[in-house]
Amino acid sequence: MIETAAVQLLLVDDHALVRDGLRLRLGAEPGLEIMGEAESTASALSWLRVREHQGLPLPDLILTDLSMQGSDGLALIGQVHEQWPQIACLVLSMHDHVEYITQALRAGARGYLVKDGPAHEIAVAVTAVMAGQTWFSARIMARLAQAGTSVALLTQRERDVLRQIGEGLSSKQIAQKLYVSVRTIETHRCNIRRKLALDGQAELVKYAVEHRDLFEGGGSVP
C-alpha cells in the first residue's frame, strides 16, 4: 500500500495563541503537517526565501489571516501567487465582508474561511484546495450570493464551461471542445458549484440554462 505524502502547511497569523491552536488542531489531522509559522507577511516571505535559497522543501499551502498588525495578508497572497504559484493560499479571517473576499481571491487565494467556523472545516478546506478545488465557509458563500457577486468570482475558463453546460453539453463533450481531460472539466464543475453555492449537478445545469445569456461570447460578467 502506497502512502501519500502529508500536506505541508505554513501558518501565518500575528497572534501566537491562534497559531498555537491551529498547530494543535491541524497537527492532529492525518495527512497534514505544520512545516512552519510566521507572524507577518515580511516574516513569511523571508522564511520562504531562506528555505528556497537553502534548497529546502517549500510548503504546499499557506493558511493566512488578512489583517495582521503592521502587515497585509493580501500582499502576502499576491507575492506568493506571483513568485511561488505552486503554493496554494487559503484565508482564515474574522472578516466576512464581500470586499475582503473578492480582493483575496483576485490576489490568488484558493479559498476563504471564517475564524468562528467549525474547526474541522479547515482540514476539509485544505484537502479540497490541494485537490484543485476552491473552498468557502457557508457564511462566505451566503455573503457572496446576497451581494450578487458570486458569478464575478468565476475564472474565464469556468465561465466557458458554465456556458457550454447551459448549451446542454456533457463533461466529455466540453472536454473535447476545450482540449482538456474530463477530470479537468469535473473539477471546474465542482468549483463553479461551490462559488455559486449550487447544491448538486441539477442546480448547476438549471443555473447554466437560465443564465446562459450572461456568458455568450465568454466575456466578463458584471
Side-chain angles (χ1 to χ4, degrees):
M1 181 177 179
I2 300 176
E3 292 187 5
T4 57
V7 177
Q8 302 293 321
L9 305 179
L10 170 64
L11 306 179
V12 184
D13 196 291
D14 60 345
H15 292 97
L17 187 62
V18 172
R19 296 198 307 273
D20 289 345
L22 288 171
R23 185 174 63 252
L24 290 173
R25 179 67 183 85
L26 296 178
E29 290 285 342
L32 299 182
E33 290 185 7
I34 308 304
M35 175 183 280
E37 301 176 20
E39 62 182 9
S40 66
T41 291
S43 60
L45 292 174
S46 176
W47 186 89
L48 289 167
R49 287 167 183 149
V50 168
R51 291 189 66 87
E52 184 176 53
H53 179 72
Q54 295 177 344
L56 297 173
L58 296 176
D60 300 303
L61 183 143
I62 296 175
L63 183 64
T64 182
D65 195 358
L66 289 183
S67 299
M68 296 175 281
Q69 188 172 4
S71 183
D72 181 5
L74 289 173
L76 172 62
I77 295 169
Q79 290 190 57
V80 168
H81 186 63
E82 180 178 349
Q83 297 179 38
W84 301 282
Q86 76 277 18
I87 302 177
C89 290
L90 181 61
V91 173
L92 179 64
S93 175
M94 62 180 289
H95 300 294
D96 62 357
H97 302 299
V98 170
E99 56 266 31
Y100 279 100
I101 304 164
T102 54
Q103 286 176 25
L105 294 173
R106 287 168 184 162
R110 297 277 296 279
Y112 198 110
L113 307 173
V114 287
K115 284 187 173 180
D116 59 357
H120 73 274
E121 186 177 56
I122 301 176
V124 174
V126 169
T127 301
V129 167
M130 294 311 301
Q133 303 174 22
T134 54
W135 188 273
F136 303 96
S137 294
R139 193 166 87 227
I140 296 302
M141 293 305 306
R143 290 286 192 199
L144 294 172
Q146 185 180 32
T149 58
S150 296
V151 170
L153 301 179
L154 299 181
T155 66
Q156 184 60 59
R157 180 48 61 94
E158 287 167 350
R159 293 170 187 170
D160 291 341
V161 171
L162 188 60
R163 174 173 54 82
Q164 294 183 64
I165 292 173
E167 293 173 355
L169 275 63
S170 67
S171 291
K172 182 177 181 179
Q173 291 171 319
I174 297 172
Q176 291 172 343
K177 289 190 66 174
L178 299 181
Y179 302 102
V180 297
S181 68
V182 174
R183 181 176 180 180
T184 296
I185 298 302
E186 290 300 325
T187 297
H188 284 315
R189 294 175 78 117
C190 183
N191 288 340
I192 293 168
R193 291 202 315 272
R194 189 168 303 286
K195 288 182 179 181
L196 300 182
L198 301 173
D199 187 16
Q201 294 292 344
E203 281 197 17
L204 173 61
V205 173
K206 182 173 183 289
Y207 183 96
V209 171
E210 292 178 348
H211 297 82
R212 185 171 54 186
D213 60 316
L214 291 177
F215 305 95
E216 291 299 336
S220 61
V221 179

